[in-house]
Amino acid sequence: MAVSSSSSSFLPRVFVAHSSFECRSDPDFYGSPTGDKPRLLSNRRVTPSLFCTGGGGLSSLILRFPPNFVRQLSVKARRNCSNIGLAQVVAASWSNGSSSGYPSSATAAASQAAAASRPVSDDVAVVEGCIDNGSVQIGDPYESKTSFLSSDGSISVHAGERLGRGIVTDAITTPVVNTSAYFFKKTQELIDFKEKRRTSFEYGRYGNPTTVVAEEKISALEGAESTLILASGMCASTVMLMALVPAGGHIVTTTDCYRKTRIFIETILPKMGISATVIDPADVDGLESALNKNKVSLFFTESPTNPFLRCVDIENVSKLCHSKGTLVCIDGTFATPLNQKALSLGADLVLHSATKFIGGHNDVLAGCISGSEKLVTEIRTLHHILGGTLNPNAAYLIIRGMKTLHLRVQQQNSTALRMAEILEAHPRVKRVYYPGLRSHPEHELAKRQMTGFGGVVSFEVDGDLMATIKFVDALKIPYIAPSFGGCESIVDQPAIMSYWDLSQAERRKYGIEDNLVRFSFGVEDFEDLKADILQALETIA
């Protein structure tokens, strides 16, 4: 760890004197209440004696400093704190079940001696609620991490970071912690961790400080107690299904969905004895019948769905499922956490392919599941066994992408709705699928449960497979590619991109016609996109 040894540096010497201060990052993101953080005041200073007097040991007491603690240290100390190594030294949290609160008298004496020779700068931070009697106490808890933010846009920028993160640093951006394991100074610390008196990530597959920032940001947007982020959207779906549906269980899903999800349900789950009922997204009677005939563990669907953007009445199906003891998980990838709040509508879990709108730059793979602490912990436990861990560098890209989520989604919502209306009126377009249109079968439902209709529009051109290929190839702005939700517009022909291995007759069983186009609008100028699409449609006359 590259820490300066300059004699004028106060902070590193105090850390060395504290033999029991934790030299590793130990954020308690999953155990202790989110409000248990000290606050800063301006009329009192934290002195070394505040931390170093009293009896007992500090072996299981770990401090989490406020987000701007380092900023209020002396200038020279701040220089030492600017590297990630020392940032991780002070990245710590209160340990659950702490049985001892103070350092030993011998340690206290040594620390006080070191402090006596090193004056404290006037700009050192002060902790509210700490009585200067040699002990460290928690101040009044925050009412809410996001109490001063009134919009999703602000939350997507600051949640998990400015509001408190486990990596203390002067950097505006969250550091990437590239490590595969976390060390224990003494064997007793490891025993305390195993017996849940101390918190640690222990191993890279079980968690990472950078990844936790991304999880907390998503939780804040979804209004969730907990979020688990994984290596891809499919990883999130498969781990969730295996964790929550017992062997021999039954699930209900919908006809229109991502094909790889359907394949997993149709081919992998039966090997575990898990069966499925498949219904139309609007078929509430079919859902009720399945619930009455089977012991259904889970209702899992997308809303809006892929690629026809059908919508499920989340509030209604949640009430119906809960009356039978059935869990509800909504894949809200097409909606984004800004356009739809599935948990507030009654769902137990909401899932996203964070690769799409959440990441938003076509440069990262990730998936996430948000919900209650209890359910997410069940999924997390299996995830720790199966793997599928998100790399911390990918987590950083998710965090960065989310800072512009609200701006991107606003632009994409607007462009998609305006283009859907233009396409619906165009003579060379047979049909448009978009929940923002009055012609959509769930338009009124979408208006009730969504604040925006998303950035993806599906439509059928007036022509066959080759005419549709001609239209797609004539487009100049969008890339021909899978995926959606990024800054760049993307277009694909599902019959070729996702279903080419099936015959035309087999594709039609899923409603996939040769002339179907899925268009994901990016953040390009509306007029440029409009002109490009209109000129391409002219080529199929």
Side-chain angles (χ1 to χ4, degrees), residues 386-418:
L386 297 179
T389 306
L390 188 72
N391 185 281
N393 295 279
Y396 173 84
L397 292 176
I398 295 295
I399 295 166
R400 185 188 66 175
M402 288 185 70
K403 292 180 187 295
T404 59
L405 177 62
H406 63 297
L407 301 174
R408 292 185 283 104
V409 169
Q410 287 172 8
Q411 175 74 2
Q412 290 164 315
N413 284 346
S414 173
T415 298
L417 178 58
R418 294 167 71 186

Side-chain angles (χ1 to χ4, degrees), residues 60-86:
S60 60
L61 177 63
I62 306 175
L63 301 175
R64 172 187 287 165
F65 288 89
N68 57 348
F69 176 83
V70 175
R71 189 173 296 109
Q72 298 189 32
L73 296 177
S74 64
V75 173
K76 290 182 179 179
R78 286 172 60 190
R79 288 174 183 163
N80 287 328
C81 284
S82 63
N83 67 75
I84 290 179
L86 192 52

